[in-house]
């Protein structure tokens, strides 16, 4: 395998857990658009990772074996794998925010984790380097259901949760891009806040999915989108805008439709950017990016899902068809999330 190439399905030895490690028998592994960036966009040297490694950073399954000293999980436990793998000892990691590890040199892999520099879950087994990185599933949840929640659910949950104070009953949230993450974001806004919600996309099927997930209004992403959002908000603009695309046009749409004091959060990594100046957006609009989420947030999210308040629309593929799953994902043929089931 090399950068800018298609992945290959190969046979590898089953891993054996060492001290403190957990071996997970994979029940589901989500295919993510960021994997497509790994395959097709990243140049050699862009990431501090050595090839080859197995893809798959959205993972859940059952504990197959544990190494010496592991005491929080036992063989047979159903678990989700927390994806960002930090050092475990810095201030951020000690608070459960390994997505923002401040000592990447002490982590198992620089700025990555399973499927991101280390072997991931597109396999029968996944070796997790520390027991803190697995979370027991609620009794009513299966690994194939939980897998995509570890990223497609956790990433929007983190982005929405940080803006909860602005998502009041009189406020409006906008979700731009109703794909693998965006359709979960629609559910999370409705499940955890009383804000009105507008979904924006350029695909009719995505807008229909947004309606099914509970959006109050849907708007086609075109030249009239900003005006439509202003009209739907009574001329005030939206309080929280979540961009799950991250292209130039969608970031500009979010800025232009924001209400003063609002949040514009760029979640998607389509490579867009916009110039920032004093007058480029309404007063006190905060523009930020987020990355993944924290382990405590994953626990909260799994509880929401176990109560039926949020789910990931998914299409399952056997491991032998994983390459087809990525082809379907790239072509836009996947409704919600593609989940590989070994």
């Amino acid at each position: 395998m090399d950068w800018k190439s298609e992945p290959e399905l190969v046979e590898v030895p089953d891993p054996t857990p060492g001290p403190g490690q957990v071996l997970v028998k994979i029940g589901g592994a989500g295919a993510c658009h960021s994997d497509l960036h790994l395959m097709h966009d990243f140049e050699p040297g862009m990431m501090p990772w050595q090839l080859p490694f197995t893809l798959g950073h959205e993972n859940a399954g059952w504990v197959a074996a544990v190494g010496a000293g592991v005491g929080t999980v036992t063989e047979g436990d159903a678990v989700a794998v927390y994806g960002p793998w930090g050092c475990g000892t810095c201030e951020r990691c000690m608070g459960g925010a390994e997505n923002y590890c401040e000592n990447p040199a002490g982590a198992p892999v620089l700025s990555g984790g399973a499927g991101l520099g280390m072997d991931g879950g597109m396999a029968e087994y996944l070796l997790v380097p520390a027991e803190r990185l697995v979370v027991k599933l609620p009794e009513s949840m299966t690994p194939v259901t939980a897998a995509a929640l570890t990223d497609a659910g956790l990433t929007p949950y983190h982005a929405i949760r940080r803006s909860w104070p602005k998502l009041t009953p009189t406020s409006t949230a906008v979700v731009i891009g109703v794909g693998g993450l965006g359709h979960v974001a629609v559910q999370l806004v409705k499940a955890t806040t009383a804000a009105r919600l507008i979904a924006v996309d350029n695909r009719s099927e995505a807008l229909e999915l947004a309606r099914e997930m509970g959006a109050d209004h849907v708007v086609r992403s075109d030249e009239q989108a900003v005006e439509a959002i202003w009209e739907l908000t009574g001329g005030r603009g939206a309080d929280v805008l979540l961009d799950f695309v991250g292209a130039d046009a969608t970031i500009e749409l979010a800025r232009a439709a924001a209400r003063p004091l609002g949040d514009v959060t760029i979640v998607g990594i389509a490579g867009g950017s916009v110039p920032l100046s004093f007058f480029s957006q309404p007063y006190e609009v905060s523009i930020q990016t987020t990355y993944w989420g924290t382990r405590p947030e994953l626990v909260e999210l799994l509880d929401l899902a176990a109560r039926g308040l949020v789910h990931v629309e998914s299409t399952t593929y056997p491991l032998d068809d994983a390459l087809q799953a990525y082809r379907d994902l790239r072509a836009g043929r996947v409704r919600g999330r593609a989940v590989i089931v070994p």
Side-chain angles (χ1 to χ4, degrees), residues 187-237:
Q187 299 173 67
L188 287 168
V189 169
K190 301 303 291 185
T192 65
T193 81
R196 296 173 180 83
L197 188 136
I198 302 170
V200 179
D201 206 292
N202 59 5
R203 301 164 297 155
S204 297
E205 61 272 20
L207 296 177
E208 181 57 36
L209 179 59
R211 289 189 184 94
E212 294 177 19
M213 298 297 107
D216 296 290
H217 304 281
V218 297
V219 169
R220 187 167 293 277
S221 183
D222 57 22
E223 293 79 6
Q224 285 76 49
V226 172
E227 182 181 350
I229 293 170
W230 279 93
E231 289 181 358
L232 289 169
T233 57
R236 298 191 309 177

Side-chain angles (χ1 to χ4, degrees), residues 153-173:
L154 181 58
T155 296
Y157 183 67
H158 175 73
I160 292 163
R161 196 182 193 283
R162 70 184 302 279
S163 291
W164 273 352
K166 298 182 181 181
L167 291 169
T168 66
T170 59
S171 68
T172 300

Side-chain angles (χ1 to χ4, degrees), residues 13-26 60-68 70 73-79 81 85 119-120 123-131 134:
D14 292 343
T16 301
Q21 297 180 336
V22 178
L23 183 65
V24 175
K25 180 177 175 61
I26 293 295
W62 302 270
V63 174
V66 299
V70 173
V73 292
T74 59
E75 185 176 341
D77 286 345
V79 295
V81 180
W85 293 354
D119 286 337
E124 293 180 332
Y125 293 95
L126 169 64
L127 184 63
V128 182
E131 61 183 305
V134 295

Side-chain angles (χ1 to χ4, degrees), residues 88-279:
T89 57
C90 71
E91 184 177 352
R92 297 297 186 212
C93 286
M94 292 293 284
E98 302 203 25
N99 51 322
Y100 299 137
C101 176
E102 295 179 318
N103 179 33
V109 62
L110 284 172
S111 304
L116 299 169
M118 296 186 70
D119 286 337
M122 297 289 178
E124 293 180 332
Y125 293 95
L126 169 64
L127 184 63
V128 182
E131 61 183 305
R132 71 177 188 278
L133 301 172
V134 295
V135 177
K136 286 186 180 181
L137 297 184
E139 289 186 6
S140 61
M141 186 173 294
T142 64
V144 71
T145 300
L149 288 168
T150 62
D151 180 8
L154 181 58
T155 296
Y157 183 67
H158 175 73
I160 292 163
R161 196 182 193 283
R162 70 184 302 279
S163 291
W164 273 352
K166 298 182 181 181
L167 291 169
T168 66
T170 59
S171 68
T172 300
V174 173
V175 169
I176 302 172
V178 190
L181 277 67
H183 85 282
V184 183
V186 172
Q187 299 173 67
L188 287 168
V189 169
K190 301 303 291 185
T192 65
T193 81
R196 296 173 180 83
L197 188 136
I198 302 170
V200 179
D201 206 292
N202 59 5
R203 301 164 297 155
S204 297
E205 61 272 20
L207 296 177
E208 181 57 36
L209 179 59
R211 289 189 184 94
E212 294 177 19
M213 298 297 107
D216 296 290
H217 304 281
V218 297
V219 169
R220 187 167 293 277
S221 183
D222 57 22
E223 293 79 6
Q224 285 76 49
V226 172
E227 182 181 350
I229 293 170
W230 279 93
E231 289 181 358
L232 289 169
T233 57
R236 298 191 309 177
D239 301 83
V240 176
L241 302 100
L242 304 150
D243 181 3
F244 290 95
V245 181
D248 288 348
T250 55
I251 298 172
E252 184 55 41
L253 187 160
R255 284 203 313 175
R259 183 184 184 186
L261 297 171
D263 282 352
V264 172
T265 301
I266 303 165
V267 185
I269 56 173
S273 63
V274 288
L276 182 66
S277 70
F278 190 89
F279 296 110

